[in-house]
Amino acid sequence: MSGEGAERRQRLRLRRFFMSFASYAMWYLIAVACWEAGLIDVSGLTVTLTGVGIFSSQLIFYALIRSGANLRFRDPSLTVSQMVVALAWALVLIAVSREIRGVFLTVYMVTLLFGIFALDKRQFLFTGLGAYIGYVALVLAERMRGVEYFSDGYYIVSVVVLGGVLLWTTMFGSYVSDLRYRLQARNEELEKVLVQMRELADRDDLTGLFNRRVSMDALRRLKARADRTHEPFSVCIIDLDHFKTVNDEYGHLTGDRVLAEFSAAMTQELREMDFFARSDPSFGRYGGEEFILLLPGADIEGAHRCAERLRNRQEERLQHRSDSSPTCTLSAGIAQYVYGEDIESLLRRADRALYAAKHEGRNRVRVAEV
């Protein structure tokens, strides 16, 4: 995942945490109000310590997400961990609420609904089952201790009703979670299709190089940057020599193969150049048998060395080919951008340099005059 995507996910996790934190604060304030009204029979110290425990546990989760330490875990959202802690605190509220226990039983459902954000169906089922077992264990513990706040009928009804509600909540949450995962999968498929469509729109069908539109957009960005920073850059227009003869004598299919092979060879050569390890060149098809090479950060001398290397590489391909298939040498014209110059003027100068290379016998590189 890209850095921007990871950062966006972290921001989303923090937003979910604050939603959870707000729920904790709301339920704790309700519990304090009930205690003030005499509906919860515990000491003030117990209320205070419970509040400290609740908010301390949340500070731990906040610190993990805020610091990025959560990314080391298998589940960076920490959803299961947060839900287990929330269910444990909900059981504490339920245990001390006594007469108004039914009010705080709703915390269970609210807690499980938070699982919609990240849990899959299996995790939802196990979390719901764990919540139910936790409440049943509390009921059994109270009965074993002889707690007489509630009748046997109340306990039976609360266990049955809670089991049904938790089952419904789990099934609903699992259904929504399943829809979320399917939607996510479809979005990923759609993103792949969009990337492929952008590639098709930006690339030349035959050579796989950037098409003229993309190269011109890149050239305009280079000019804008150079006008701001005065950083040099150069443009090289490359033409395959005697390419029309290849089409006339061997046919257009052979000509297409020559263009494709040339493009692949030049792309590989560019990747191996140290010069390009420090920049972001754009090699594209300019039209027909012409190609354009943008050289960010390159002055005229650096651009000339680069073009000569490409010319030599193409010449070596001619000399070492193992069959009689046709290929072509290349001629190139180079122009370095002059501050304030418009793009049309820059391309005209590179084109005139290319024409001079052709006029002087082809298979050579010429530099444009300023």
Side-chain angles (χ1 to χ4, degrees), residues 91-112:
L91 276 177
V92 172
L93 284 179
I94 292 170
V96 301
S97 58
R98 309 301 187 192
E99 291 87 350
I100 56 170
R101 174 167 293 184
V103 173
F104 293 104
L105 280 173
T106 58
V107 180
Y108 255 31
M109 279 69 80
V110 173
T111 301
L112 282 178

Side-chain angles (χ1 to χ4, degrees), residues 13-33:
R13 290 170 187 137
L14 275 175
R15 285 198 297 270
R16 291 174 180 171
F17 166 80
F18 286 125
M19 289 175 61
S20 173
F21 186 83
S23 297
Y24 272 103
M26 178 187 71
W27 285 109
Y28 181 71
L29 290 175
I30 291 174
V32 171

Side-chain angles (χ1 to χ4, degrees), residues 132-314:
Y132 186 64
I133 291 174
Y135 179 73
V136 171
L138 173 64
V139 169
L140 291 176
E142 289 182 343
R143 299 307 294 155
M144 291 174 63
R145 287 166 41 222
V147 175
E148 298 180 355
Y149 285 101
F150 307 105
S151 64
D152 291 340
Y154 177 89
Y155 277 123
I156 293 172
V157 170
S158 67
V159 167
V160 172
V161 171
L162 180 64
V165 173
L166 286 179
L167 177 63
W168 180 89
T169 304
T170 300
M171 292 178 62
F172 174 76
S174 299
Y175 175 73
V176 174
S177 180
D178 187 54
L179 286 179
R180 176 174 54 80
Y181 273 96
R182 281 190 284 174
L183 179 61
Q184 181 180 349
R186 290 184 180 180
N187 285 340
E188 290 174 355
E189 291 177 4
L190 179 60
E191 181 64 27
K192 290 179 182 178
V193 172
L194 290 175
V195 170
Q196 292 172 353
M197 291 179 65
R198 283 194 292 267
E199 282 287 319
L200 291 174
D202 293 346
R203 299 281 179 172
D204 174 64
D205 291 339
L206 176 61
T207 64
L209 300 177
F210 292 115
N211 57 33
R212 184 186 180 108
R213 175 184 59 79
V214 174
S215 295
M216 291 301 100
D217 288 342
L219 180 54
R220 281 188 283 270
R221 290 194 299 272
L222 268 180
K223 170 179 160 50
R225 186 172 69 186
D227 287 340
R228 291 193 310 270
T229 65
H230 289 247
E231 178 185 358
F233 77 89
S234 298
V235 173
C236 177
I237 298 179
I238 299 171
D239 184 86
L240 292 183
D241 300 325
H242 303 295
F243 181 76
K244 185 176 183 303
T245 303
V246 173
N247 274 338
D248 292 343
E249 293 186 5
Y250 296 91
H252 288 281
L253 290 178
T254 300
D256 289 348
R257 188 176 72 248
V258 168
L259 290 174
E261 291 175 352
F262 169 79
S263 301
M266 294 302 101
T267 299
Q268 181 61 37
E269 188 68 21
L270 289 170
R271 287 173 182 166
E272 295 174 357
M273 290 188 188
D274 293 339
F275 177 81
F276 291 111
R278 302 187 301 273
S279 59
D280 182 25
S282 175
F283 184 43
R285 189 176 182 187
Y286 197 48
E289 68 272 22
E290 285 192 335
F291 301 83
I292 186 169
L293 179 61
L294 307 182
L295 304 167
D299 57 17
I300 199 67
E301 289 80 11
H304 187 268
R305 288 194 300 271
C306 173
E308 275 292 348
R309 178 166 172 174
L310 295 180
R311 187 193 65 79
N312 288 330
R313 176 71 180 92
Q314 181 66 3

